[in-house]
């Protein structure tokens, strides 16, 4: 009995992982799946893994394009690939959420606006500003050229997708029994949120170790903060990756919880659109945190 259930768990995990990749990305996962609620709920465990895969591709494109092009054109090319990898799924949620929340109408009217397939002026403005911010942050990373620490650029994609999973279970569905979010109703009955968090933590630790190993392998002869003002002293090179591994997940939780609480207060809960919007917001916010950290450590 135990042997049989262990054997059946393998294809179940495979289907759940495939569902996560098909739902959140355009990676060519060739598998016929029936997106029923139990499979969708199980698939959220692999959301951080999808984020890691997207982040890895973004990192590689940024490094290669940055070696051939000036920083800003390389950043735009990298962002184009990034949007293509996600199919614009979360950007659509970002625009719909902006249209609804920035209309300053009643709760019911905001939900109607968000459900409308047409994009309004506020959605377009919000999308342009977001893409400009992301492009500027990517250009900053490319201009710095610190690719030995490049694996840390994957962390924002991992944790932003973990927060979507957390948000699905922590706040009610604003549409009741309607909308995409209802397909994930009952999330947490099999500890999916905790398992997704464990996956995100595991991936983060692996990326931290890889970063430290790569930098150590090239044996940097300078301390990160040699150029800092007097009084801070000289910080060891490994402190930047260690700090990033700790600060980014904490920043993700704090920023995400603050924004999700505010949105939920206005809409009476969250929706599928707001999950995507939260992902986009947190990606940009965590990239900003990473850029600030690089500045603090004089990288």
């Amino acid at each position: 009995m135990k042997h049989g259930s262990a054997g059946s768990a393998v294809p179940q995990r495979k289907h759940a992982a495939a569902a996560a990749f098909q739902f959140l990305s355009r990676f060519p996962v060739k598998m016929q799946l029936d997106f029923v609620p139990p499979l969708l709920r199980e698939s959220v465990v692999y959301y951080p893994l999808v984020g890691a895969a997207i982040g890895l591709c973004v990192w590689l494109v940024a490094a290669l394009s940055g070696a051939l092009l000036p920083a800003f054109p390389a950043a735009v090319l990298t962002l184009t690939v990034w949007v293509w990898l996600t199919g614009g799924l979360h950007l659509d949620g970002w625009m719909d959420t902006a249209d609804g929340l920035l209309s300053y109408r009643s709760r019911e009217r905001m939900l109607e606006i968000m459900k409308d397939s047409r994009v309004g002026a506020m959605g377009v403005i919000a999308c342009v500003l977001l893409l400009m911010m992301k492009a500027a942050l990517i250009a900053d990373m490319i201009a710095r050229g610190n690719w030995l620490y490049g694996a840390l650029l994957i962390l924002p994609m991992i944790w932003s997708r973990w927060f979507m999973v957390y948000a699905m279970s922590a706040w009610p569905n604003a549409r009741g029994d309607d909308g995409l979010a209802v397909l994930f109703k009952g999330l947490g009955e099999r500890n999916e949120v905790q398992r997704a968090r464990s996956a995100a933590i595991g991936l983060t630790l692996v990326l931290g170790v890889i970063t430290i190993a790569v930098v150590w392998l090239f044996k940097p002869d300078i301390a990160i903060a040699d150029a800092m003002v007097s009084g801070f002293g000289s910080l060891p090179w490994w402190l930047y990756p260690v700090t990033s591994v700790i600060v980014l997940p904490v920043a993700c939780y704090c920023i995400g919880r603050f924004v999700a609480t505010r949105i939920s207060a206005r809409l009476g809960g969250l929706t599928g659109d707001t999950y995507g919007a939260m992902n986009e917001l947190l990606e940009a916010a965590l990239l900003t945190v990473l850029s600030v950290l690089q500045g603090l450590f004089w990288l």
Side-chain angles (χ1 to χ4, degrees):
M1 178 70 72
K2 290 183 179 180
H3 178 76
S5 72
S8 64
V10 175
Q12 183 180 4
R13 288 195 294 267
K14 184 186 294 185
H15 290 168
F21 275 90
Q22 288 185 5
F23 189 67
L24 294 182
S25 75
R26 285 189 171 179
F27 286 110
V29 179
K30 304 297 183 182
M31 185 177 292
Q32 292 294 327
L33 298 171
D34 185 10
F35 286 93
V36 293
L39 179 62
L40 286 174
R41 288 195 296 269
E42 182 66 21
S43 71
V44 303
V45 175
Y46 299 93
Y47 278 19
L49 181 61
V50 177
I54 292 173
L56 177 60
C57 292
V58 170
W59 169 30
L60 292 175
V61 172
L64 292 173
S65 61
L68 301 173
L69 298 169
F72 193 72
V76 173
L77 177 61
T78 301
L79 184 58
T80 301
V81 174
W82 189 352
V83 173
W84 178 82
L85 284 171
T86 64
L89 174 66
H90 308 307
L91 271 178
D92 182 66
W94 171 262
M95 290 187 288
D96 288 341
T97 300
D99 277 335
L101 293 178
L102 298 180
S103 70
Y104 298 101
R105 305 292 181 84
S106 66
R107 170 187 175 274
E108 291 74 19
R109 181 57 183 149
M110 284 191 290
L111 290 173
E112 287 179 10
I113 292 172
M114 291 166 62
K115 198 171 185 178
D116 193 333
S117 60
R118 295 169 296 181
V119 179
M122 298 311 298
V124 173
I125 293 171
C127 182
V128 170
L129 292 175
L130 176 74
L131 292 176
M132 287 176 61
M133 184 64 178
K134 281 189 171 183
L137 290 166
I138 296 170
D140 175 60
M141 302 291 180
I142 292 174
R144 293 178 190 269
N146 296 312
W147 296 117
L148 292 181
Y149 300 95
L152 299 176
L153 298 178
I154 302 174
L155 295 180
M157 291 75 154
I158 293 174
W159 285 100
S160 63
R161 282 160 183 79
W162 167 81
F163 192 85
M164 285 198 297
V165 180
Y166 173 70
M168 290 176 194
S169 66
W171 285 273
N173 180 9
R175 299 188 188 279
D177 292 329
D178 189 24
L180 178 65
V182 74
L183 297 175
F184 296 90
K185 187 176 181 180
L187 191 66
E189 293 176 358
R190 296 180 57 191
N191 299 319
E192 292 94 346
V193 179
Q194 291 81 0
R195 289 158 61 203
R197 182 181 61 202
S198 297
I201 292 173
L203 289 167
T204 299
L205 293 176
V206 168
L207 290 173
V209 170
I210 289 174
T211 302
I212 291 175
V214 168
V215 179
W216 177 82
L217 184 63
F218 284 86
K219 298 180 180 178
D221 296 323
I222 58 173
I224 287 177
D226 278 345
M228 289 184 112
V229 295
S230 177
F232 279 85
S234 180
L235 301 178
W237 60 265
W238 51 261
L239 192 58
Y240 168 62
V242 170
T243 302
S244 299
V245 162
I246 296 172
V247 169
L248 261 67
V250 174
C252 177
Y253 177 80
C254 293
I255 296 171
R257 187 165 183 84
F258 173 77
V259 176
T261 299
R262 296 291 297 274
I263 294 175
S264 182
R266 295 190 62 188
L267 297 179
L270 302 180
T271 70
D273 284 328
T274 61
Y275 299 147
M278 291 296 301
N279 178 79
E280 290 291 339
L281 174 67
L282 287 171
E283 282 181 339
L286 296 181
L287 281 175
T288 302
V289 171
L290 204 56
S291 180
V292 170
L293 288 176
Q294 289 198 35
L296 290 175
F297 284 97
W298 286 79
L299 287 175

